């Protein structure tokens, strides 16, 4: 794939480093959004997580307003709003307000998973049944609220999401299993596949989405991207350190039932893994692309080719802010500016 055709975007989970604070993490996210805007990235999404002490983004809709106000051109959005955690009307109003403040720059990525454990999710929304049918109903309601539908004999005759505006955010459904890919096709929404969660089956899910896509009022043709963990450096030792930290983080998520603590390389460099965990580490390597500029260029282009897509969304954890920002800068040099001869 030609470099000029490939778009890169960022998903930020607002990681709180060891011995740091939420305020510092949010400042880093703000700085990164500004930096990504200057470098030419297409969009900047923030995630929704709850009961994760190491992550500081429980309310993407609030953070989106802050980031959009500090940037000029980059699209800003959620990756995603975990819709079953919320009132559909309230989320529709939140994003109608955002697009009124920042027209043409807001994305609403929508997920079905809770972004937390079941117990916490039940506290966020005590009426959450975790059912597929309820999620589908929420999507129908969201569509009606955004279209300002006033159908007689329905709740929309009496209730509208305000402010009344004909501008709506770009609507994306997030998928890691393929099921939401079919919902995206049915509703005529864009699709983001979470390869960083599931390194298998994504190509098939995207293909099925394209084949089953039904045009909607807001989208005439299927459009998708794929998200993956990535880290780029010219320093092989930095690559090794950060890859080792990611290997440990994945294992820690399994050991701690979906949670993890912030660590440094020194914390985990002597970690001993079981045979099973070593197998898991190798399997998890499918969920990330790490390497020098030349290697990572080829790997990202191959991922885009395998998926048949023109946009890759990157999630970069690094041991320090400097290495993280440098990774995004190196990728911008490769794919946007073409300053170096690889």
């Amino acid at each position: 794939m030609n470099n000029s055709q490939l778009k890169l975007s960022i998903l930020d989970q607002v990681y709180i480093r060891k011995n740091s604070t939420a305020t510092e993490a949010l400042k880093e996210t703000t700085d990164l959004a500004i930096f990504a805007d200057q470098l030419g990235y297409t969009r900047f999404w923030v995630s929704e997580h709850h009961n994760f002490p190491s992550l500081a983004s429980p309310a993407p809709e609030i953070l989106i307003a802050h980031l959009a106000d500090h940037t000029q051109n980059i699209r800003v959005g959620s990756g995603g709003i975990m819709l079953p955690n919320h009132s559909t009307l309230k989320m529709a109003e939140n994003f109608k307000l955002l697009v009124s403040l920042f027209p043409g720059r807001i994305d609403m990525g929508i997920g079905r998973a809770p972004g937390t454990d079941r117990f916490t999710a039940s506290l966020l929304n005590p009426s959450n049944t975790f059912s597929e049918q309820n999620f589908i109903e929420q999507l129908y309601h969201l569509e009606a609220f955004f279209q300002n539908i006033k159908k007689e004999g329905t709740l929309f005759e009496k209730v509208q999401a305000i402010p009344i505006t004909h501008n709506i955010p770009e609507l994306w459904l997030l998928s890691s299993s393929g099921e939401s890919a079919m919902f995206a096709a049915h509703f005529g929404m864009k699709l983001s596949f979470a390869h960083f969660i599931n390194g298998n089956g994504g190509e098939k899910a995207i293909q099925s989405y394209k084949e089953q896509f039904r045009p909607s009022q807001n989208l005439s043709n299927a459009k998708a991207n794929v998200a993956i963990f990535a880290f780029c450096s010219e320093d092989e030792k930095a690559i090794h350190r950060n890859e080792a930290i990611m290997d440990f983080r994945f294992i820690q998520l399994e050991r701690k039932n979906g949670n993890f603590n912030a660590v440094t390389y020194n914390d985990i460099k002597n970690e001993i893994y079981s045979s099973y965990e070593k197998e898991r580490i190798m399997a998890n390597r499918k969920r990330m692309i790490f390497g020098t500029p030349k290697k990572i260029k080829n790997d990202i282009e191959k991922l885009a080719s395998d998926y048949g897509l023109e946009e890759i969304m990157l999630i970069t954890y690094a041991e320090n802010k400097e290495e993280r920002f440098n990774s995004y800068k190196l990728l911008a040099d490769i794919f946007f500016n073409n300053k170096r001869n690889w």
Side-chain angles (χ1 to χ4, degrees):
M1 179 173 290
N2 190 301
N3 285 359
S4 62
Q5 295 177 326
L6 190 61
K7 298 177 180 179
L8 297 184
S9 296
I10 295 173
L11 172 60
D12 186 1
Q13 297 178 326
V14 196
Y15 173 62
I16 304 173
R17 302 182 189 283
K18 185 177 180 180
N19 299 322
S20 186
T21 66
T23 297
E24 291 170 334
L26 289 162
K27 175 64 165 58
E28 182 172 325
T29 290
T30 305
D31 291 344
L32 181 58
I34 294 168
F35 191 50
D37 193 19
Q38 295 168 346
L39 290 174
Y41 281 81
T42 298
R43 64 189 86 244
F44 190 99
W45 286 359
V46 287
S47 62
E48 176 185 340
H49 287 94
H50 305 274
N51 201 27
F52 273 76
S54 296
L55 302 178
S57 181
E61 65 276 18
I62 295 176
L63 189 50
I64 288 167
H66 171 76
L67 298 176
D69 192 47
H70 281 73
T71 52
Q72 299 296 322
N73 300 303
I74 196 168
R75 298 192 65 90
V76 184
S78 58
I81 291 293
M82 301 297 120
L83 198 56
N85 291 342
H86 307 286
S87 154
T88 310
L89 172 61
K90 182 59 177 172
M91 285 299 106
E93 291 190 327
N94 285 349
F95 276 82
K96 290 181 84 171
L97 183 57
L98 284 168
V99 296
S100 297
L101 288 167
F102 308 101
R105 293 186 55 213
I106 302 299
D107 297 340
M108 185 180 188
I110 302 162
R112 178 183 168 192
T116 186
D117 58 271
R118 283 289 185 101
F119 178 73
T120 304
S122 68
L123 293 177
L124 286 163
N125 180 6
S127 65
N128 187 356
T129 65
F130 303 96
S131 77
E132 175 184 298
Q133 187 56 44
N134 280 4
F135 180 63
I136 293 171
E137 185 176 83
Q138 283 192 290
L139 293 177
Y140 276 114
H141 287 180
L142 191 69
E143 183 178 52
F145 284 133
F146 279 134
Q147 299 301 334
N148 305 308
I149 290 174
K150 294 189 71 174
K151 187 175 180 180
E152 187 176 349
T154 70
L155 65 89
F156 308 108
E157 182 182 14
K158 298 181 179 180
V159 179
Q160 287 192 283
I162 59 170
I164 304 299
T165 174
H166 295 293
N167 295 324
I168 71 168
E170 276 195 10
L171 296 175
W172 295 72
L173 279 187
L174 315 183
S175 179
S176 62
S177 66
E179 186 174 26
S180 288
M182 294 301 94
F183 298 157
H186 175 81
F187 283 94
M189 295 180 179
K190 299 177 182 181
L191 175 68
S192 182
F193 188 83
H195 190 103
F196 71 99
I197 295 175
N198 181 6
N200 299 302
E203 297 95 330
K204 184 177 179 180
I206 294 292
Q207 185 60 38
S208 297
Y209 160 73
K210 291 179 178 178
E211 292 171 354
Q212 300 297 321
F213 181 82
R214 297 167 49 177
S216 64
Q217 184 172 336
N218 302 299
L219 188 64
S220 57
N221 297 298
K223 182 176 180 180
N225 67 29
V226 58
I228 190 166
F229 289 114
F231 177 77
C232 182
S233 177
E234 294 170 319
D235 182 350
E236 294 279 3
K237 291 182 178 179
I239 294 169
H240 170 75
R241 288 197 316 272
N242 286 289
E243 189 173 53
I245 292 171
M246 288 300 296
D247 288 341
F248 177 80
R249 180 170 291 127
F250 290 141
I251 295 301
Q252 192 180 40
L253 282 166
E254 296 182 10
R255 289 174 178 174
K256 296 173 66 67
N257 296 317
N259 217 320
F260 65 89
N261 298 324
V263 297
T264 66
Y265 178 68
N266 284 336
D267 294 329
I268 58 91
K269 64 182 180 181
N270 297 319
E271 187 74 15
I272 298 174
Y273 298 107
S274 68
S275 296
Y276 170 76
E277 288 175 337
K278 290 177 181 178
E279 291 178 3
R280 293 296 302 145
I281 286 171
M282 296 311 298
N284 287 329
R285 292 279 178 92
K286 296 179 182 179
R287 299 159 57 186
M288 56 188 188
I289 294 175
F290 278 47
T292 59
K294 183 175 182 179
K295 178 183 183 299
I296 207 168
K297 173 181 181 292
N298 293 333
D299 289 346
I300 287 176
E301 288 180 340
K302 183 178 187 305
L303 182 73
S305 177
D306 289 346
Y307 272 85
L309 299 177
E310 295 180 355
E311 181 181 348
I312 306 297
M313 181 161 275
L314 308 171
I315 311 103
T316 298
Y317 283 80
E319 196 167 17
N320 57 62
K321 178 179 178 179
E322 292 72 23
E323 288 182 343
R324 185 171 182 233
F325 279 48
N326 184 59
S327 176
Y328 285 120
K329 174 63 167 61
L330 289 171
L331 291 169
D333 287 346
I334 297 168
F335 289 101
F336 308 152
N337 304 325
N338 201 26
K339 290 180 178 177
R340 306 171 187 227
N341 182 12
W342 304 114

